Amino acid sequence: MAESDPTPTRGAIVTPNKLIDDVLRRRLSRRSVLKVAAFSATSAALAACTPATVSPSPTTSGAPSGSAAPSAPAIARGGTIRMGAFEGGLTDGFLPWKSFGQEFAWNWCAQTLLTIAPDGTIVYELAASHEISPDGKMYTFKLVEGAKWHDGEPVTAADVAFTYNTGLKTKAGSNVGGRLAPIKGSKAVVADESTDAEGIRVVDDLTITFELDEPNAQILPNLFAILRIAPKHLFEGQTLEEYVNNPISTTLFVGTGPYKMTEFKAKEFVNFEAYPDYKNGSGYSGLPKADKVSIRIYDSEDAQLLSTQSGEVDFNYVRKPSGDKLEQLKSIQGMHTQASEVGFNIFFSVNLKKPSTPLLQDKRVRQALVWALDRDTLVNDVLGGVFKVPTIVNHWIAPWANADNLETYHPQDVDKAKALLADAGWDPNVELDIRHYPPKLDPDVPVIMEMWNAVGVKGKLTPIPDDTFIQDFYEDKDKSTPEDDGPSYDIAFVYGYGTLDGSPWGSDETLGSTRAYPNGFNSMRYANSEWDSEFAAAIKETSQDAQASHFKRCSELFNDELPYMPIYQRVDYSIVSDTLKGAESAKILHPAAGGVRYWEWYIEGA
């Protein structure tokens, strides 16, 4: 992945730890998120008895970030930002602990404690600062003073505690419990959902602590920078099972972000208006720069393209566009494109728990499926050159965390594919159940099917509808055999796995043996005890060098066993109006990327 622009941004980490300072002074790449998180999690081990304290750069309250004083000249602001979103997650409600693609809306109306930009910079939202204890187990967050919910109620640490505790309760619709597993007492909450975690403690209205069972270097980017905070008072008097039907989820989310949600119609639109009492920990206070935000939700990629071409929107995020579509988008007058390299996100997933033929559980068959692919032809001829053939075949692409001996499965080797299938005893008469998402067939999938057919692997393609993606891809459709949990397909083509910054953080969400949905997103039901132990050992280490040996072993296991196959390195594109200001400062505009200061976006001349 390309190096990030090292231009410093507000909210940079301030710490007595010389190692962290050195990291931040260097030209930072996206993998710096890993370094900073690793060092921060064990700060006292590296900085004697001084706990690491992280605070935003000082700025004038009541003025946008970057203002010198309240008397500074008025800044440009205004207009309605019109956005487009082709995203099934916006049809699934807005509970923060029921996460599936709601970021397009949450980025405007909800806040996390903090986010992390691609260059490793901390950007505070509801938190004003945080500290890590000398043993790396205690995280203390100070909240922004005076922050209010969109209904006018004050934000307190009790809201934060409520949100994190609810994230451990599947009865409340949570599917993010795996991310909270490092918190002390989390297992007790999962076992008895009437309790709260002993490691989550409210100190006072503006202070909350999180105690971990052991140091965990992924906790900052994988949990604290991701989970949006929900208002406790609007759930009082409800049972956990009723949370999914709360008006917050089904009608209008009530958050603390720069914009207040005013209208929502599933599969059609979400509208927001500027919130005058907005505050964040990066020093911004008051109205955001735009007056309103309006998001149009498309039901197809064609509708998204036509809407952008006709001038209906100022911003559209287009996932994995085909070559011809990208050329059409680039030719729109008054708009420009911004590329976002988002790691490994195009893949086919193999059902390792209960495929129709047990031969799919033989790694030689999975390896053969990859050797059969001419990915150069797929990228350059079929997909128009808008993807990349990866040089590292693993869940992450950070070079320091990958072994040197990984197989690239490139270039195509049909003879090797046939030999592996023969060694495994493959029956060429077997017809596999192969699913694809999105439901509109991508142009490369039929070509891949032909390449597989050429080595003796046949299959029947079936689309996964938007409305049933979670059920079809993650959950068990066969309720008669509950002990055989997991989906019923053999192979599924989907986009979505991978890490935005190319680092290993969060990879256990999809590869850990205990992370099957809803406790994670391991759709393959991949289970390897050595992978689990090596990954767990890596995130306990206090330095990148010590982490690397464990992550490298994980990379070897993945590369050899191929629980799923990252076929290409995906590149997305944002299509941005020339009058939309603010978006140009972001390095990755993927809706799940951190560090994007949405409150600073506005329409020039509005």
Side-chain angles (χ1 to χ4, degrees):
M1 300 179 77
E3 292 292 304
S4 298
D5 188 327
T7 303
T9 54
R10 301 194 63 82
I13 295 177
V14 179
T15 170
N17 188 323
K18 182 179 183 298
L19 290 179
I20 300 179
D21 290 341
D22 289 343
V23 169
L24 293 172
R25 280 196 295 267
R26 290 197 298 269
R27 295 176 64 88
L28 293 172
S29 68
R30 292 171 191 154
R31 70 175 185 268
S32 300
V33 172
L34 184 149
K35 295 181 181 180
V36 172
F39 293 150
S40 296
T42 54
S43 57
L46 301 174
C49 297
T50 305
T53 303
V54 188
S55 302
S57 301
T59 188
T60 304
S61 178
S65 176
S67 297
S71 59
I75 58 170
R77 68 171 306 276
T80 296
I81 299 173
R82 303 168 303 157
M83 294 188 63
F86 176 45
E87 179 57 61
L90 287 176
T91 68
D92 201 37
F94 296 105
L95 292 182
W97 47 79
K98 193 173 189 295
S99 176
F100 181 64
Q102 299 96 324
E103 289 89 358
F104 276 107
W106 275 339
N107 288 333
W108 302 100
C109 67
Q111 288 182 287
T112 58
L113 290 170
L114 52 82
T115 68
I116 302 175
D119 65 358
T121 301
I122 295 287
V123 176
Y124 285 107
E125 293 196 352
L126 266 182
S129 65
H130 78 278
E131 296 180 355
I132 305 99
S133 65
D135 61 3
K137 293 183 181 181
M138 187 75 73
Y139 283 70
T140 301
F141 290 89
K142 289 285 187 180
L143 303 186
V144 176
E145 187 172 357
K148 295 180 181 179
W149 295 103
H150 291 157
D151 63 3
E153 291 295 315
V155 178
T156 71
D159 295 304
V160 180
F162 165 77
T163 302
Y164 277 77
N165 277 306
T166 306
L168 288 163
K169 301 172 182 179
T170 56
K171 289 181 181 179
S174 177
N175 60 13
V176 300
R179 296 183 184 274
L180 291 99
I183 295 176
K184 186 176 181 179
S186 61
K187 292 180 181 178
V189 183
V190 172
D192 178 3
E193 300 189 34
S194 65
T195 65
D196 288 337
E198 63 175 298
I200 302 175
R201 293 190 286 272
V202 173
V203 179
D204 56 44
D205 281 350
L206 296 179
T207 311
I208 187 168
T209 63
F210 295 87
E211 184 178 0
L212 311 184
D213 286 319
E214 53 199 5
N216 188 304
Q218 71 175 166
I219 197 74
L220 200 66
N222 198 44
L223 177 59
F224 296 134
I226 290 176
L227 188 57
R228 267 80 174 180
I229 310 304
K232 177 182 178 181
H233 66 279
L234 293 183
F235 291 87
E236 291 175 347
Q238 290 187 316
T239 64
L240 293 175
E241 293 85 352
E242 291 174 326
Y243 283 9
V244 294
N245 294 318
N246 190 297
I248 278 184
S249 177
T250 59
T251 307
L252 297 177
F253 186 79
V254 177
T256 61
Y259 295 87
K260 178 179 179 179
M261 189 181 293
T262 57
E263 294 179 281
F264 167 56
K265 189 169 184 179
K267 302 183 182 182
E268 293 189 23
F269 62 85
V270 189
N271 289 335
F272 310 84
E273 62 183 26
Y275 182 52
D277 292 329
Y278 172 61
K279 287 189 174 184
N280 67 31
S282 294
Y284 195 104
S285 180
L287 283 168
K289 287 192 177 181
D291 297 320
K292 297 180 179 181
V293 176
S294 181
I295 301 177
R296 176 175 176 178
I297 306 170
Y298 307 109
D299 61 1
S300 72
E301 294 180 16
D302 290 338
Q304 183 183 31
L305 174 61
L306 290 172
S307 173
T308 311
Q309 290 176 316
S310 64
E312 291 181 342
V313 292
D314 305 298
F315 179 93
N316 235 322
Y317 189 85
V318 182
R319 299 181 188 269
K320 58 184 186 66
S322 61
D324 61 333
K325 180 184 291 186
L326 180 58
E327 289 305 311
Q328 293 180 67
L329 291 168
K330 286 183 175 181
S331 67
I332 299 174
Q333 291 188 351
M335 303 191 82
H336 59 274
T337 59
Q338 287 183 232
S340 291
E341 294 186 15
V342 294
F344 285 146
N345 280 83
I346 313 295
F347 66 96
F348 63 80
S349 170
V350 179
N351 182 356
L352 299 178
K353 186 64 182 284
K354 53 173 187 178
S356 64
T357 171
L359 287 175
L360 280 176
Q361 296 169 325
D362 189 321
K363 68 181 180 183
R364 292 171 295 181
V365 173
R366 300 194 296 276
Q367 291 170 348
L369 293 174
V370 186
W371 282 116
L373 301 182
D374 183 350
R375 286 184 283 157
D376 291 313
T377 294
L378 290 168
V379 166
N380 297 319
D381 299 335
V382 179
L383 296 172
V386 294
F387 301 111
K388 296 181 179 180
V389 176
T391 56
I392 297 175
V393 178
N394 184 30
H395 186 71
W396 54 78
I397 61 177
W400 69 271
N402 279 283
D404 296 329
N405 61 336
L406 299 186
E407 180 60 72
T408 62
Y409 298 93
H410 182 267
Q412 179 190 37
D413 193 328
V414 171
D415 291 338
K416 184 176 287 188
K418 290 180 177 179
L420 285 166
L421 289 169
D423 289 345
W426 182 258
D427 181 357
N429 295 312
V430 168
E431 184 178 68
L432 299 176
D433 177 2
I434 301 179
R435 312 290 177 87
H436 62 86
Y437 183 84
K440 180 181 178 182
L441 199 61
D442 287 337
D444 59 328
V445 175
V447 180
I448 290 173
M449 296 293 290
E450 289 300 318
M451 292 177 178
W452 283 349
N453 190 59
V455 299
V457 178
K458 299 185 297 184
K460 179 183 178 182
L461 281 172
T462 305
I464 299 177
D466 282 324
D467 292 346
T468 61
F469 174 77
I470 290 291
Q471 297 92 320
D472 291 349
F473 188 63
Y474 289 111
E475 295 179 347
D476 184 10
K477 299 286 283 186
D478 185 1
K479 302 303 182 184
S480 65
T481 56
E483 68 280 3
D484 294 331
D485 63 324
S488 57
Y489 57 79
D490 291 317
I491 294 174
F493 289 93
V494 190
Y495 67 82
Y497 282 9
T499 53
L500 289 177
D501 60 0
S503 73
W505 306 124
S507 295
D508 58 336
E509 280 290 297
T510 53
L511 295 170
S513 61
T514 62
R515 298 304 178 91
Y517 190 86
N519 295 315
F521 297 94
N522 184 351
S523 70
M524 300 77 62
R525 269 50 179 183
Y526 176 61
N528 181 299
S529 58
E530 185 181 4
W531 196 98
D532 287 341
S533 62
E534 288 289 340
F535 190 91
I539 62 177
K540 296 176 189 175
E541 294 289 355
T542 61
S543 71
Q544 182 173 291
D545 288 343
Q547 292 162 354
S549 62
H550 299 292
F551 282 139
K552 286 179 178 180
R553 179 55 185 153
C554 287
S555 74
E556 292 174 337
L557 291 169
F558 181 100
N559 186 260
D560 181 55
E561 298 184 1
L562 293 180
Y564 76 85
M565 176 58 201
I567 313 175
Y568 324 115
Q569 183 177 337
R570 178 175 132 207
V571 182
D572 293 347
Y573 286 85
S574 297
I575 316 302
V576 186
S577 169
D578 295 340
T579 63
L580 176 59
K581 304 303 177 182
E584 70 280 356
S585 63
K587 304 308 175 189
I588 298 180
L589 282 169
H590 184 289
V596 182
R597 299 167 175 267
Y598 290 96
W599 59 88
E600 294 185 348
W601 293 21
Y602 68 97
I603 301 297
E604 185 177 50

